[in-house]
Amino acid sequence: MARYDRAITVFSPDGHLFQVEYALEAVRKGNAAVGVRGTDIVVLGVEKKSAAKLQDSRSARKIVSLDDHIALACAGLKADARILINRARIECQSHRLTVEDPVTVEYITRYIAGLQQKYTQSGGVRPFGLSTLIVGFDPYTGVPSLYQTDPSGTFSAWKANATGRNSNSMREFLEKNYKETSGQETVKLAIRALLEVVESGGKNIEVAVMTKEHGLRQLEEAEIDAIVAEIEAEKAAAEAAKKAPAAPKET
Amino acid sequence: MKLDTSGLESAAPVWGAPSELVDGFSAAPSFEVPNTTDFDGFQKEAIQMVKPAKGTTTLAFIFKEGVMVAADSRASMGGYISSQSVKKIIEINPYMLGTMAGGAADCQFWHRNLGIKCRLHELANKRRISVTGASKLLANILYSYRGMGLSVGTMIAGWDETGPGLYYVDSEGGRLKGMHFSVGSGSPYAYGVLDNGYRYDMSVEEAAELARRSIYHATFRDGASGGVASVYYVGPNGWKKLSGDDVGELHYEYYPVMPSTVEQEMVEVGGA
């Protein structure tokens, strides 16, 4: 089979791989995505650009499952994402076949990151223009995990992270407000982070939660609206408490 | 002087050869076929000749406390006993054992290779590979060499997160999960004793004695098995070699020679 022998991703004199950095630019222009890990739940949230009236929104899902116990959200070039996701799905099944065991979150993250790295060091190809947030539960220990990969092929585990548009502001928010949460609290934290940079409303964000028992579940628009309303109410209450002088203690 | 054989060549065009007359066709892919009357039978015979008989007795079984693995130590080439001290239980890693039956080189090499793969898995995934996974890796490799003359009849025994595990894997590519297996020419005899004495709730000593006895009885009746009966135990902390007894000595332990009274004494006949 003919193979290209000229690499496109090459070093610059001061040690940069410009193609990889340009790919990271593409990620920065992609939709905002956030992931939060709780003690018994993992949450992924993605900004949804307003859907065209005639588009079937269900065909444009941004949070996908790789296996029964692993889900992925990404920011960047969606076409590249599709290819990567397909390869990851095949690897999940291939692993089940060769060792009769489901993949761990770390394994599939390592695989995806390895694939992204390969495309920064091969002839005739460009790097994938996306960063992924991968969540799931370890098939044996049941421990939840959140990992992030980027176009350079590096990956690491996170308690909470964001990528895509305005990811810095979201990450700052998460750093300030993160604490160990479980269940609905984790969902609220993820949505609050997203709302920092996205117009509020259920039709502008897509949220999915994964638990050990029930797997991946996409939240309905109405559900998201309800949580957003809760968050707004909490925010308003907090504002009011700050403005009003502290009431004297009743004796 | 080279003979002129042009008269023997047929006038008709050779079938399959690309020729200007038969344009558009490309020759069907073909390979040289041996010159025999019965091609299929010939192939089967060739495989039978290459496939060495699995002259050995190995067995393994799962019981309450873990897995017991035992084997003899004789290597034979036809009627010639080439060695009485072959290590037929191969230590893949501290918590997994493999048994050898069939081609010694094949078993040793592929078990060593499996050990490498298991270690690499540990390093990459920061957790030990399961017995299921290890046996599947070996079975997939053997399947890819199917029909090429490998002769391996092995059992993979180990202890992992899910408890004791025992799989039978062979060079045909087969892989079976089970509670007891015996492999080799002496296996029918070993099965007889093993199936008779097996109980799930045995202690380690009882299970070891059962394994030892089964190997001994197989070596007694099967000419291709003998030497030393080795017994290994695989528990939650890994494997441990329990004993290695010469089967000749075991025979006199189980069936000591009883001094018996003389039936008829030979009397010396007097006279010239």
Side-chain angles (χ1 to χ4, degrees):
Chain A
M1 206 175 94
R3 278 192 297 163
Y4 291 97
D5 63 353
R6 190 179 78 77
I8 296 177
T9 313
V10 289
F11 278 116
S12 71
D14 57 349
H16 292 260
L17 285 172
F18 280 125
Q19 282 302 303
V20 174
E21 294 186 9
Y22 299 157
L24 280 159
E25 266 305 308
V27 170
R28 258 173 246 132
K29 294 202 163 40
N31 53 246
V34 71
V36 182
R37 181 188 84 192
T39 52
D40 60 350
I41 190 174
V42 280
V43 183
L44 284 171
V46 179
E47 166 194 9
K48 214 170 33 175
K49 303 222 170 72
S50 47
K53 278 220 184 91
L54 296 173
Q55 188 183 58
D56 183 350
S57 58
R58 272 183 311 155
S59 72
R61 279 264 175 257
K62 302 218 174 137
I63 302 174
V64 297
S65 68
L66 297 182
D67 201 339
D68 295 332
H69 60 302
I70 314 248
L72 174 148
C74 55
L77 270 48
K78 284 295 176 277
D80 288 2
R82 204 178 59 240
I83 302 299
L84 215 50
I85 289 167
N86 284 340
R87 300 279 284 272
R89 282 175 171 164
I90 292 174
E91 180 61 23
C92 286
Q93 295 311 308
S94 178
H95 186 273
R96 276 182 187 258
L97 185 59
T98 47
V99 292
E100 289 188 6
D101 247 347
V103 293
T104 55
V105 192
E106 199 257 341
Y107 178 92
I108 197 65
T109 307
R110 201 161 11 103
Y111 176 79
I112 291 175
L115 210 49
Q116 286 181 293
Q117 192 280 341
K118 213 185 293 210
Y119 280 68
T120 68
Q121 212 180 7
S122 301
V125 296
R126 61 160 175 81
F128 286 98
L130 69 142
S131 293
T132 68
L133 287 170
I134 300 166
V135 296
F137 287 83
D138 185 297
Y140 277 121
T141 60
V143 170
S145 320
L146 164 67
Y147 283 85
Q148 189 209 38
T149 73
D150 63 27
S152 65
T154 52
F155 72 95
S156 48
W158 293 77
K159 296 182 193 159
N161 201 358
T163 180
R165 227 161 47 82
N166 302 116
S167 57
N168 287 328
S169 341
M170 285 195 282
R171 210 172 297 121
E172 258 179 58
F173 175 85
L174 286 168
E175 279 176 17
K176 254 194 267 185
N177 296 286
Y178 179 83
K179 52 184 199 304
E180 286 273 318
T181 50
S182 69
Q184 198 66 339
E185 281 306 306
T186 319
V187 186
K188 268 209 239 166
L189 180 59
I191 295 183
R192 273 163 63 207
L194 254 186
L195 288 179
E196 292 283 305
V197 302
V198 172
E199 266 179 58
S200 114
K203 58 179 171 35
N204 293 320
I205 52 183
E206 191 180 306
V207 181
V209 304
M210 181 183 273
T211 50
K212 182 111 181 89
E213 301 79 34
H214 302 118
L216 186 69
R217 191 173 70 88
Q218 308 268 5
L219 264 53
E220 303 273 323
E221 212 178 285
E223 268 185 274
I224 301 176
D225 277 330
I227 300 176
V228 168
E230 249 185 82
I231 292 172
E232 309 267 276
E234 280 173 13
K235 240 201 272 189
E239 294 284 314
K242 252 201 292 187
K243 282 215 193 101
K249 269 219 177 106
E250 309 271 350
T251 36
Chain B
M1 181 185 105
K2 194 168 189 306
L3 294 169
D4 172 25
T5 53
S6 56
L8 295 169
E9 279 162 82
S10 73
V14 178
W15 184 254
S19 116
E20 276 67 51
L21 303 170
V22 197
D23 39 68
F25 283 83
S26 61
S30 64
F31 50 85
E32 297 240 351
V33 170
N35 220 352
T36 60
T37 43
D38 173 21
F39 177 65
D40 296 309
F42 162 82
Q43 203 183 36
K44 194 167 173 200
E45 257 187 76
I47 290 179
Q48 290 294 88
M49 206 162 65
V50 170
K51 184 157 66 166
K54 298 189 178 112
T56 189
T57 310
T58 60
L59 63 83
F61 57 88
I62 293 179
F63 66 111
K64 186 178 60 151
E65 306 280 346
V67 198
M68 202 54 80
V69 185
D72 75 313
S73 68
R74 177 176 289 184
S76 47
M77 282 155 48
Y80 173 68
I81 295 175
S82 43
S83 171
Q84 288 274 62
S85 51
V86 177
K87 272 193 71 164
K88 295 194 188 178
I89 296 183
I90 298 158
E91 297 146 12
I92 297 171
N93 60 42
Y95 57 98
M96 238 193 282
L97 293 173
T99 59
M100 180 200 292
D106 290 340
C107 289
Q108 270 181 4
F109 179 86
W110 289 111
H111 278 125
R112 198 88 198 277
N113 184 277
L114 180 62
I116 293 173
K117 287 207 163 61
C118 291
R119 180 64 182 143
L120 288 174
H121 179 102
E122 257 182 55
L123 287 169
N125 296 291
K126 294 182 206 142
R127 69 179 338 152
R128 283 183 178 169
I129 192 170
S130 59
V131 183
T132 314
S135 60
K136 193 113 195 213
L137 285 179
L138 182 63
N140 287 339
I141 293 171
L142 294 179
Y143 181 78
S144 64
Y145 283 89
R146 197 175 135 88
M148 297 196 214
L150 279 187
S151 171
V152 172
T154 183
M155 295 177 283
I156 305 291
W159 188 290
D160 60 29
E161 278 172 356
T162 60
L166 178 61
Y167 285 83
Y168 164 74
V169 178
D170 69 22
S171 45
E172 307 297 295
R175 175 174 164 269
L176 298 170
K177 184 174 158 70
M179 295 285 272
H180 352 68
F181 286 111
S182 178
V183 182
S185 56
S187 63
Y189 313 110
Y191 269 130
V193 178
L194 176 60
D195 291 338
N196 186 44
Y198 176 83
R199 274 175 308 114
Y200 182 74
D201 315 291
M202 280 189 285
S203 67
V204 176
E205 294 77 34
E206 289 176 308
E209 184 53 27
L210 178 63
R212 202 173 300 122
R213 261 188 195 268
S214 309
I215 295 288
Y216 156 74
H217 279 102
T219 60
F220 188 66
R221 289 291 175 184
D222 176 33
S225 302
V228 168
S230 315
V231 180
Y232 281 67
Y233 164 66
V234 189
N237 300 320
W239 57 259
K240 184 165 174 331
K241 179 162 184 180
L242 294 182
S243 65
D245 303 292
D246 184 294
V247 295
E249 284 166 27
L250 279 181
H251 172 80
Y252 290 108
E253 255 179 65
Y254 295 139
Y255 305 105
V257 179
M258 287 301 176
S260 53
T261 53
V262 172
E263 280 172 18
Q264 250 190 0
E265 232 185 84
M266 286 221 325
V267 183
E268 192 149 334
V269 176

